[in-house]
Amino acid sequence: WELVIGPEDRTIAFLHDVTRTHTEDYAADLWDSSVSPSTFNQHLKFVRSVFTTLETRAGLLSNPWAHLKTRKRALNEGRRNLTESELGVVLNRAEGSLKVMLYLGLFTGLRLGDVVNLRWDNVEFDPVLRQARPGFIVLVPLKTSRYGKKLEVPIHPSLASLLVQHRARCPQADLLFPSESRAYAANTAN
């Protein structure tokens, strides 16, 4: 088995040959590859745990990964919230189902998986007028579904009118977003 850490002239034949210098080089190379702080930390935690197991079960004298520190995300790194004007541009340019999905996320705070899997049964409608009324969306969120606790999310009047228009475009569907729901089920990154 061969582990290559750093330049090729530093090929390691056995795990007990890994030194502190090797681990520092690996960590520096990994960080320089522009991975996110989360990915960097996951790599280090995994390798550290493997070597901790080897230290206790296989008799390694020490864990050369133990001294490495995880990285914190700087305030200006990674994701950021959209500004009000950026959000306005996104909402104004969105059309069809995407617009309704964005408004649902904005007005309710629901996660993408909950939005794409919403059923019309989850949305309170006036049974006589078949119109959404400022009421509630009632669902069991996917993230906490194991607890079975229903969540009642208020419907803002602007969202209610958008839902009425959306319902008129697909009156026979059980799901609010049938095609998006299928795409999400096939791959949650869709």
Side-chain angles (χ1 to χ4, degrees):
W1 186 78
E2 208 173 69
L3 175 67
V4 179
I5 299 178
E8 288 186 33
D9 62 330
R10 303 234 311 250
T11 300
I12 298 168
F14 301 101
L15 290 176
H16 66 267
D17 292 336
V18 175
T19 66
R20 185 178 180 127
T21 304
H22 291 122
T23 62
E24 289 168 354
D25 288 347
Y26 175 83
D29 288 346
L30 181 61
W31 187 252
D32 290 343
S33 72
S34 299
V35 296
S36 71
S38 175
T39 300
F40 178 85
N41 293 340
Q42 289 172 5
H43 273 256
L44 288 191
K45 287 177 184 177
F46 173 75
V47 177
R48 188 181 299 138
S49 69
V50 167
F51 274 76
T52 298
T53 302
L54 291 172
E55 189 177 17
T56 57
R57 293 189 181 171
L60 279 184
L61 299 178
S62 66
N63 183 345
W65 300 89
H67 73 285
L68 292 174
K69 303 286 185 224
T70 56
R71 304 266 179 135
K72 291 187 178 179
R73 182 174 57 87
L75 292 177
N76 60 352
E77 273 185 309
R79 297 178 184 168
R80 67 171 180 83
N81 293 331
L82 296 176
T83 65
E84 190 174 334
S85 61
E86 289 170 332
L87 183 59
V89 169
V90 170
L91 293 174
N92 287 331
R93 292 187 181 170
E95 297 176 349
S97 293
L98 178 61
K99 183 172 190 151
V100 179
M101 290 170 55
L102 289 171
Y103 271 82
L104 273 163
L106 177 67
F107 281 108
T108 66
L110 291 174
R111 291 177 176 86
L112 177 62
D114 293 323
V115 169
V116 298
N117 289 306
L118 270 178
R119 299 185 158 286
W120 285 108
D121 293 346
N122 300 115
V123 181
E124 287 189 354
F125 272 90
D126 182 311
V128 176
L129 301 175
R130 296 291 296 159
Q131 293 180 349
R133 61 185 170 86
F136 293 91
I137 294 174
V138 181
L139 74 152
V140 177
L142 293 173
K143 185 172 182 177
T144 57
S145 62
R146 65 183 172 272
Y147 302 119
K149 184 177 178 186
K150 283 187 179 180
L151 180 66
E152 293 184 357
V153 183
I155 300 174
H156 187 276
S158 298
L159 178 59
S161 65
L162 195 60
L163 289 171
V164 169
Q165 295 168 17
H166 185 63
R167 181 65 171 166
R169 287 192 296 268
C170 51
Q172 303 303 321
D174 291 334
L175 292 164
L176 272 72
F177 311 104
S179 62
E180 290 84 354
S181 181
R182 284 190 299 276
Y184 186 81
N187 179 358
T188 57
N190 280 339

